[in-house]
Structure formats: C-alpha cells, structure tokens
C-alpha cells in the first residue's frame, strides 16, 4: 500500500482545467487539476467545490470579491456560487467534491485541451 | 474573503490527536490535527478517513502493512479498517470526513491532552 503523492499526480496532467480522480471517500472524489489563464464564470448547483492549492498561485474570483490562494491554502466555494478561477502562472490544485466538474457547464474553456491552443484573453 | 492557511491553523493546535474543524463541504469536515507518538489501534465503522499530510512524517499502520506519508501525500483509510497512526516526529495533517473522530473510541490516547504528559511507549 502506498500513499498518493499529489504533486506527482498533478505533474502528470496534460490538459488544463481537467480533473483526474485519485481517490473516493464518503461520497466525495479527490481530484487533481492544473490551470493557467481562467475558466469561464460558472457555478455548481449540486455541490460545494473545495480547492486546496498545491503549487503556484490561484485567484478565485467571486461576485463579491476575490480570494487569493497560496500553496497549502484551502477554500470552499459553496454550491450555487458563481466563481471564476484565475491562474496568472500555472497552478496545480486538489479539488474535492462528489462529481467531476471540469465540463463546459463547469466553466471549462475550449482552449484547455492539449494542443488546443493557449488561454484566451477573456 | 480569505482562504484558510492550513499550516498556520495546524501550528495553533495545542493538543495532540485532537481535531479542529476549519470548513465543511458536501457533508464532510476539513479538520487539522497534529500527532506525535501514536494513537491506539481503532477503526471507524461510520466513515472513511482521509489523511493529507502537511508536515513531518506519518506512518499509518494497518493490519495488512504500513503506509508511509510525506508532506503532500494523501491516503484514505476505508471505513471499518483497523489502523494506528504513528508519528516518530511531530506530524501535522488535514483530515477529511463527516464527523470528528478524535475521541477515545477513535483511538485518542489518554496522554494527548495539553499538560497530560508525554506519549506512552505502547
């Protein structure tokens, strides 16, 4: 039995703003992702979304203000809350929630796929 | 709005093997704790228990072998699984699960309270 090395798992991701499930516990998934640029504004009505930053910097824009995350910081975006994560440099993070949210409805930008071009300026 | 600095929260703990709740999402609590020595062998029949090591080293003894955690490592102890966390040096960690487990039934050793003496040798 071995533990899961979150940094190593995140380093192996090839696509921005896509989630890889590493483990499940109590109905929640532990997912790593990396981001650069930003997603589209979106919200999840079915689940709270917890961010735990592993490396880089991540700013979570909310309609009421921004939250700045440094490595080792945790923030819960409550369900139904519009948000827009922004990474000026590449950020790697753990996400915790009951389902994958890296879909178009989940704010995933069209350029995020490997070889899909760079981040948009919007 | 500010993010939660997990290392700073863990640094403020005064009691070993006690959990401080920092946030809740999707029915799960995010709790910091610190440990040295070991708990008693125990299991949680009602919940999976996820460990994410923040600092130090943590060995989770299982009846089937040991799991070694370094900072940034994650491990899920499935519900009903007997386990015994061991920290040869002080370890600080995040725990995720639907309820507090730092009780006597949860393996908490009697010496763990502040001013309650040191870790036992057992």
């Amino acid at each position: 039995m071995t533990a899961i090395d979150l940094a190593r798992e995140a380093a192996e991701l090839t696509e921005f703003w896509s989630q890889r499930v590493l483990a499940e516990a109590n109905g929640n998934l532990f997912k790593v992702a990396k981001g650069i640029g930003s997603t589209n504004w979106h919200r999840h009505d079915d689940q709270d979304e917890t961010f735990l930053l592993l490396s880089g910097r991540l700013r979570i824009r909310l309609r009421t203000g921004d939250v700045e995350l440094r490595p080792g910081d945790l923030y819960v975006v409550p369900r139904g809350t519009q948000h827009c994560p922004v990474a000026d440099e590449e950020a790697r993070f753990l996400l915790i929630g009951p389902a994958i949210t890296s879909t178009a409805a989940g704010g995933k930008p069209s350029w995020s796929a490997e070889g899909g071009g760079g981040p948009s300026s919007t």
Side-chain angles (χ1 to χ4, degrees), chain A:
Chain A
M1 286 148 300
T2 55
I4 297 169
D5 180 335
L6 297 175
R8 187 168 59 190
E9 295 289 343
E12 292 178 0
L13 296 169
T14 57
E15 189 173 340
F16 289 104
W17 306 114
S18 283
Q19 299 162 11
R20 175 188 290 173
V21 175
L22 303 180
E24 187 277 338
N26 303 304
N28 278 257
L29 305 176
F30 292 84
K31 310 168 284 182
V32 284
K34 66 177 182 178
I36 194 164
S38 71
T39 71
N40 305 313
W41 277 92
H42 63 284
R43 67 184 197 192
H44 312 295
D45 287 332
D46 61 331
Q47 62 189 288
D48 308 314
E49 187 166 50
T50 301
F51 290 78
L52 196 165
L53 191 62
L54 301 173
S55 66
R57 295 283 185 278
L58 187 67
R59 184 166 70 256
I60 303 178
R61 298 184 65 199
L62 304 168
R63 295 304 187 188
T64 51
D66 293 355
V67 180
E68 304 280 349
L69 275 74
R70 291 171 173 272
D73 283 355
L74 180 137
Y75 191 76
V76 180
V77 178
R79 65 190 65 201
T81 300
Q82 285 201 328
H83 60 287
C84 176
V86 179
D88 294 329
E89 58 180 288
E90 183 174 315
R92 297 175 180 174
F93 46 94
L94 182 69
L95 286 165
I96 303 150
I100 290 277
T101 54
S102 54
T103 61
K108 186 175 179 175
S110 58
W111 58 263
S112 62
E114 186 179 23
S120 79
S121 59
T122 57

